[in-house]
Amino acid sequence: MTEPEGNSLYARSETIQPRSVRGRFRSWKYLAMVVLLPWWYLAPFLRWDRGLGAPDQAILIDMGGRRAYFLGLEIWPQEVYYLTGILVVAAIVLFLVSALYGRVWCGFLCWQTVYTDLFVQIERMVIGDRTRRLALDRAPWSLDKLARKGAVHLLWILISGACGIAFTLYFGDAPTMLPAILTGRESVAVYGAIAVVGGFCYLLAGFAREQVCLYMCPYSRFQAAMFDEHSLIVGYETWRGEPRGRWRKGQPFEGRGHCIDCGVCVAVCPTGVDIRNGSQLGCIGCGLCIDGCDSMMDRVGLPRGLITWDSIASQAARAQGETPRHRLVRPRTLVYGAILAVALGVIGWSLLGRSTTEMTVLHERALLYVRLSDGSIRNGYVVKILNKVRSERQFTLDIEGLEGVRMSVIGGGPHLKVAPDSVGSFTVFVTAAAGIATGRRVPLVFVLRDQKGGDETRAESLFVGPDR
Amino acid sequence: MASVEKDPVTGRYTTGHEWDGIRELNTPLPRWWILVFWVCVIWSIGYWILMPTWPLLNGYTPGILGYSSRGDLEGEIAAQKTERAVWLNRIESLPAAAVEADPELLTYARAGGRIAFEENCAPCHGIGGVGAFGYPTLADDEWLWGGTIDEIEQTVKFGVRNSNPNTHLSEMPKFGVDGILTPEQIEQVADYVLTVADRAPVASLPGAAIFAENCAVCHGEAGEGNKEIGAPALSNQIWLYASKLGNQTPEIRDAEIRATVIAQVTRPRHGAMPAWSERLGPGTIRMLAVYVHTLGGGR
């Protein structure tokens, strides 16, 4: 059956085999790879001493113990708003950096970019550069092709598997988990996580590649909204390059553009776009086309910078023969900077004021008050004390706001003992003599004091009495 | 039926079906759909062999794995029981007072007791032991049959006025119905009891003598009650057969108490409670006793 053109919901994608290139931006990409990949794989092994009984892993998300550790910070489940804070800061940093320097994240730092880059380097080492790879793709199956393709996929799978393993190490004690994983002693959940994360690493970096940036990723869609004419982006100097045309050595450049239409910029592009068509969604801003074009300009004997990492405003200025002036401080960057400062300030302020003790008081609901035989009125409360310190603590509980009341604690005298790093729950009864709390709901403040001094925590509640 | 022909516009073939001159293009299913279909068919065959599948006349094919969700549940329940047995054994092996002294056991017993209470006791005594008209409040400090932990456990075990040989038994005479007291005397006693409840008995009232003669033997000279025979204390503000919160004005409250005393003396009502040892295990009963004892009024 012949499928007519334009009637299919599925567009076959051509595999992009980017050519290797040397230059400034290539070096930056190598640097990003050399810093980020070891960091991802080795960070779980960093240690951080938190004292006896506490995990000594610098970065640890302890699901079973319901704690997250980041260096000196220990986050309880109810403090998950710190995660929200981190995400807000990350988003604003992305906005600010995009407005200033373009898609730096996409081009250099994103794991999709870094892993794709690594996988392409492996193909280059095992098979060869672009032309060799394209030739091998076209070639019929042979022992050589099988061996080379097999080696590439084996290496990809090893790296992806290690990626999956590294992911799981953030959720447990890495030095004990790693041998357990390798000797088959870990749980099905761990191997499942490794299979999912590793499988997607293999799939996305090995096969999907630029499709992820073009079709899946939301960031590539909205980053352009952060740009203005002063943002640094990868761009083709149309005024200088056009009209483009083939060039043979020795021909003069009078009356034509400097672009010799050699196609290097397209061949080196990891997403396969032609930057000469202008800034576009597919351009992840990695600058490899700049490296490619610069090396070609050197060979042709023309000045570098036919493709530049520059702002639209500078480009326009140069086209007019004016000196370009790059403006970092603009209303847009000021607003992003201000939002970032506020977000960081709020997080920092709440971290600094983070208490080691928290108390919640819940008034008994099943019976709001009990009338005792001598006519006095008793209220019940559940007092929960969060001890975020790694040692047992003793607290004293007091009441303010109601005079002449008695307080008793079920399962504890005046000293409320709370185990290290846990929540203590106490039933507290408050009794007021007849008449004191009649006909009203009296606000009541529970005051918790650490017996070793220092900490004082307050929680508000009510004392309920009969209407009459 | 028209013959299969090639459509010049799309370059595709027709199915050969024709209705009123309208012919249908043949649009075969995509290859991936066919593949998924066959994979599902193969999967289903494996499923027949491994899992319960076909209904039979009296049952079903269990499959090699013999899986059933009920079996899963039974396994989980058994695992829970083994886990709980450790705690229950400790609770059963210790006296109730010792359970309360151990913070860990106390927490476990109060949590377990609360569940058992809400399931078995709350229908009468209310959630949290709030009580109801005719059903004692368990959160206050007035106890018909004693408020120590052991007395509470005894009451939970054997209940009140039931067929169990160890149950609490007592009966108040029907002073009015049996003609022991006249209606006028009963009203005088009620007036006196109201002063007893305020802990300011007025000995000059005509009811005082009637009280001393007829009531004091069980309820005590000063109306302090007798826990041995479940005779309630009258010298306080807690009344079994009155609204529980006492939110009325003092006049209405007094009228209600007076009416309830008259009704009780004339034709007494008697509450009953099952012997829970006939239904619950000793560990659960101990947890219930601990829970009730720590509701706030335990002695």
Side-chain angles (χ1 to χ4, degrees):
Chain A
M1 191 198 78
T2 53
E3 187 72 31
E5 204 57 40
N7 203 11
S8 169
L9 296 173
Y10 179 72
R12 277 194 73 82
S13 71
E14 292 291 320
T15 310
I16 291 164
Q17 299 285 19
R19 200 180 117 176
S20 79
V21 67
R22 281 195 193 147
R24 281 183 295 156
F25 291 94
R26 183 61 261 180
S27 306
W28 280 110
K29 273 177 85 75
Y30 281 134
L31 182 68
M33 206 193 287
V34 165
V35 171
L36 293 176
L37 284 175
W39 168 258
W40 166 247
Y41 284 107
L42 298 177
F45 294 94
L46 291 178
R47 300 290 102 183
W48 186 275
D49 186 26
R50 295 190 183 86
L52 207 65
D56 65 345
Q57 188 157 319
I59 304 169
L60 175 67
I61 300 161
D62 181 2
M63 290 295 204
R66 285 166 180 76
R67 300 280 186 279
Y69 302 92
F70 185 76
L71 306 183
L73 188 63
E74 179 185 337
I75 300 206
W76 287 45
Q78 65 269 38
E79 295 173 316
V80 79
Y81 47 76
Y82 284 120
L83 179 67
T84 317
I86 291 167
L87 291 177
V88 168
V89 168
I92 303 296
V93 168
L94 183 74
F95 288 9
L96 183 61
V97 170
S98 299
L100 288 174
Y101 303 114
R103 289 173 65 175
V104 175
W105 167 259
C106 295
F108 300 90
L109 303 174
C110 174
W111 38 82
Q112 174 66 23
T113 294
V114 172
Y115 269 103
T116 304
D117 203 18
L118 178 67
F119 279 25
V120 170
Q121 298 301 330
I122 286 168
E123 282 186 302
R124 189 162 71 89
M125 281 187 287
V126 176
I127 302 172
D129 204 10
R130 175 179 154 88
T131 42
R132 294 283 300 275
R133 296 206 296 274
L134 288 172
L136 192 70
D137 281 349
R138 278 194 304 270
W141 279 101
S142 66
L143 212 58
D144 178 60
K145 182 171 177 174
L146 193 69
R148 285 177 189 278
K149 286 272 178 190
V152 163
H153 284 272
L154 184 68
L155 285 168
W156 284 0
I157 287 169
L158 284 176
I159 291 168
S160 306
C163 175
I165 291 173
F167 173 78
T168 59
L169 294 184
Y170 286 90
F171 295 86
D173 183 48
T176 49
M177 250 182 105
L178 186 60
I181 288 171
L182 297 179
T183 50
R185 286 181 282 122
E186 266 299 346
S187 66
V188 178
V190 170
Y191 289 113
I194 292 172
V196 170
V197 176
F200 272 104
C201 180
Y202 177 63
L203 194 71
L204 297 184
F207 300 90
R209 295 196 171 172
E210 80 286 348
Q211 309 276 319
V212 174
C213 312
L214 295 178
Y215 299 114
M216 296 182 202
C217 183
Y219 299 102
S220 62
R221 301 265 157 184
F222 72 62
Q223 272 181 56
M226 280 78 217
F227 293 166
D228 55 26
E229 70 274 18
H230 294 290
S231 306
L232 293 183
I233 55 170
V234 175
Y236 169 66
E237 309 258 293
T238 317
W239 62 274
R240 182 185 148 194
E242 300 297 325
R244 69 182 87 148
R246 289 277 171 190
W247 176 81
R248 220 170 280 133
K249 209 173 169 88
Q251 281 180 347
F253 276 98
E254 274 80 48
R256 58 160 290 171
H258 284 181
C259 176
I260 58 171
D261 210 6
C262 61
V264 162
C265 54
V266 180
V268 299
C269 180
T271 59
V273 301
D274 187 344
I275 194 64
R276 294 172 298 178
N277 296 338
S279 184
Q280 55 202 286
L281 175 74
C283 173
I284 59 170
C286 66
L288 290 183
C289 51
I290 302 179
D291 286 345
C293 190
D294 280 352
S295 65
M296 195 51 73
M297 287 294 114
D298 289 350
R299 275 162 62 183
V300 172
L302 287 171
R304 288 182 168 199
L306 181 56
I307 303 175
T308 55
W309 187 52
D310 208 345
S311 67
I312 292 171
S314 311
Q315 231 183 78
R318 267 203 299 278
Q320 299 294 319
E322 297 161 13
T323 334
R325 200 170 58 87
H326 184 228
R327 287 175 57 204
L328 285 178
V329 180
R330 319 189 293 269
R332 177 183 291 271
T333 57
L334 283 178
V335 169
Y336 289 152
I339 298 173
L340 182 62
V342 168
L344 282 174
V346 168
I347 291 179
W349 177 75
S350 76
L351 273 179
L352 282 179
R354 191 168 173 265
S355 161
T356 52
T357 316
E358 270 180 50
M359 171 168 62
T360 53
V361 176
L362 298 169
H363 194 284
E364 192 80 57
R365 285 161 301 175
L367 61 183
L368 288 175
Y369 62 88
V370 178
R371 186 190 292 270
L372 298 180
S373 56
D374 61 356
S376 58
I377 302 298
R378 197 192 68 212
N379 278 213
Y381 305 84
V382 175
V383 174
K384 289 187 189 251
I385 302 171
L386 278 68
N387 175 16
K388 297 186 191 172
V389 177
R390 295 239 161 232
S391 58
E392 187 183 82
R393 285 158 84 198
Q394 282 202 6
F395 297 95
T396 320
L397 191 63
D398 281 315
I399 295 170
E400 285 177 9
L402 199 58
E403 296 303 317
V405 294
R406 287 197 318 276
M407 188 177 71
S408 60
V409 181
I410 294 290
H415 315 299
L416 308 184
K417 265 191 205 169
V418 185
D421 193 42
S422 61
V423 184
S425 183
F426 303 91
T427 300
V428 175
F429 291 119
V430 176
T431 311
I436 286 188
T438 302
R440 45 191 185 141
R441 287 160 180 257
V442 188
L444 200 63
V445 182
F446 285 83
V447 184
L448 188 73
R449 286 190 191 85
D450 190 336
Q451 288 187 348
K452 290 218 178 89
D455 248 352
E456 186 183 284
T457 312
R458 304 169 79 85
E460 285 177 17
S461 190
L462 285 174
F463 189 91
V464 184
D467 292 348
R468 293 181 184 86
Chain B
M1 184 158 188
S3 59
V4 173
E5 56 187 287
K6 192 169 180 176
D7 173 49
V9 180
T10 59
R12 283 153 63 178
Y13 289 92
T14 63
T15 55
H17 303 162
E18 185 177 344
W19 298 272
D20 299 338
I22 299 170
R23 279 161 296 164
E24 185 190 21
L25 280 181
N26 185 10
T27 308
L29 291 163
R31 171 112 21 99
W32 66 264
W33 196 96
I34 302 284
L35 275 174
V36 170
F37 175 74
W38 284 112
V39 167
C40 288
V41 169
I42 294 164
W43 176 269
S44 74
I45 293 168
Y47 199 91
W48 293 352
I49 298 166
L50 294 174
M51 302 294 276
T53 315
W54 294 104
L56 303 176
L57 275 181
N58 43 10
Y60 56 88
T61 56
I64 291 174
L65 295 181
Y67 171 84
S68 78
S69 51
R70 175 168 284 271
D72 265 12
L73 179 69
E74 277 166 2
E76 278 169 31
I77 291 174
Q80 275 287 332
K81 275 193 174 152
T82 3
E83 216 169 286
R84 283 181 197 159
V86 182
W87 290 91
L88 280 179
N89 286 341
R90 278 176 70 193
I91 287 170
E92 280 170 26
S93 65
L94 289 170
V99 172
E100 281 196 357
D102 181 332
E104 246 186 9
L105 285 182
L106 175 66
T107 306
Y108 188 90
R110 289 190 76 217
R114 187 175 65 82
I115 302 290
F117 187 90
E118 284 174 6
E119 212 163 273
N120 299 290
C121 317
C124 293
H125 291 288
I127 298 280
V130 64
F133 186 94
Y135 299 102
T137 302
L138 302 178
D140 64 22
D141 57 347
E142 155 80 345
W143 300 91
L144 292 173
W145 299 95
T148 67
I149 177 78
D150 292 329
E151 285 167 337
I152 291 171
E153 190 174 5
Q154 178 82 6
T155 306
V156 176
K157 258 187 199 162
F158 302 116
V160 179
R161 299 186 189 97
N162 58 43
S163 56
N164 190 290
N166 293 315
T167 193
H168 288 311
L169 278 177
S170 74
E171 201 168 331
M172 177 167 164
K174 302 181 185 67
F175 289 98
V177 175
D178 289 350
I180 306 169
L181 295 175
T182 64
E184 193 192 351
Q185 285 176 311
I186 292 174
E187 288 201 20
Q188 287 168 348
V189 147
D191 287 335
Y192 177 70
V193 166
L194 281 178
T195 65
V196 170
D198 290 337
R199 295 191 179 167
V202 182
S204 58
L205 279 176
I210 307 168
F211 184 89
E213 205 170 299
N214 296 281
C215 315
V217 63
C218 291
H219 290 287
E221 294 291 336
E224 68 271 16
N226 185 346
K227 298 191 169 25
E228 296 302 312
I229 53 173
L234 304 175
S235 60
N236 61 39
Q237 298 297 325
I238 292 169
W239 299 94
L240 185 56
Y241 295 105
S243 52
K244 286 291 156 183
L245 288 178
N247 256 344
Q248 313 98 320
T249 60
E251 296 75 36
I252 295 177
R253 180 70 178 171
D254 278 354
E256 188 192 8
I257 303 302
R258 189 168 181 274
T260 201
V261 171
I262 291 171
Q264 186 70 7
V265 175
T266 308
R267 185 198 289 275
R269 284 179 278 207
H270 297 100
M273 169 176 162
W276 289 99
S277 58
E278 295 166 7
R279 308 190 195 180
L280 302 175
T284 309
I285 286 182
R286 188 148 295 157
M287 292 198 294
L288 271 174
V290 168
Y291 174 73
V292 171
H293 188 241
T294 55
L295 276 175
R299 293 183 183 277

